[in-house]
Amino acid sequence: MEPIIPRQPAKAGNSKNGGRPPNTVLSRGFLRFIFTVALLTALGTFGLSVYFLVGFAMTDTGILTLLSSAALCFGVGAMGYLPTTIITYWTRKELRGDRSRGRYWLALLLLLPWLALSIILIFYSAMPLVYGAIALLITCVLLLWPLASIRSAGKSRTSM
């Protein structure tokens, strides 16, 4: 005998898996937080590159000078907005259920130079301490994603 109302398949965010998408081990809220921090950091560093280029354009008039200024601004800025854009893309893919363990290791490789740079800015730079502290804070927040994912993927692998 067939029921009048057929059973509905379980949704991705049900209480059985703690609100996680099907193929993730971390909560969706945590992934959304990392996505938001990475996105805002990427937009902020790109915006700062534009801001500094506008500053150069106000004082420089030659086309070659402006081109070299653009290369400087966006070349240095790319060290900030490219890694965070990549991490934004990867966390978005994970929010949709696409996990890859290799991404976590690559994210670590992208963020470890920023960890070293922020420590150098704090202890060995003539720049104000706040710049190094902000860079260290953002880097540590973004490092939470690959470290937690690698750790939980290792636990889920050994528990099988």
Side-chain angles (χ1 to χ4, degrees):
M1 183 178 254
E2 195 160 326
I4 296 172
I5 301 173
R7 280 181 127 173
Q8 297 294 325
K11 294 182 181 177
N14 64 11
S15 61
K16 289 182 183 177
N17 64 1
R20 290 180 236 138
N23 291 328
T24 62
V25 291
L26 302 174
S27 72
R28 291 182 65 81
F30 178 74
L31 287 173
R32 283 186 186 130
F33 174 70
I34 297 299
F35 172 83
T36 303
V37 169
L39 179 64
L40 291 175
T41 304
L43 291 173
T45 53
F46 187 80
L48 283 172
S49 296
V50 171
Y51 173 76
F52 284 113
L53 180 61
V54 168
F56 280 119
M58 288 180 169
T59 58
D60 298 333
T61 57
I63 187 72
L64 290 177
T65 309
L66 287 176
L67 287 175
S68 66
S69 299
L72 174 71
C73 292
F74 289 106
V76 172
M79 294 187 316
Y81 61 77
L82 284 180
T84 53
T85 302
I86 291 168
I87 290 171
T88 302
Y89 176 72
W90 286 343
T91 53
R92 183 172 178 240
K93 285 185 78 146
E94 187 165 343
L95 277 166
R96 293 182 174 186
D98 182 16
R99 276 185 83 212
S100 172
R101 198 164 188 205
R103 284 186 204 136
Y104 307 138
W105 292 104
L106 289 173
L108 277 175
L109 288 176
L110 289 173
L111 290 171
L112 286 178
W114 277 101
L115 184 66
L117 178 66
S118 60
I119 291 171
I120 289 170
L121 286 176
I122 289 173
F123 294 109
Y124 300 108
S125 175
M127 293 176 66
L129 205 69
V130 69
Y131 298 131
I134 291 171
L136 182 62
L137 178 69
I138 291 171
T139 304
C140 288
V141 166
L142 291 177
L143 276 171
L144 290 174
W145 171 61
L147 291 174
S149 298
I150 289 169
R151 185 169 183 240
S152 59
K155 283 183 180 180
S156 65
R157 178 186 254 187
T158 58
S159 65
M160 288 184 188

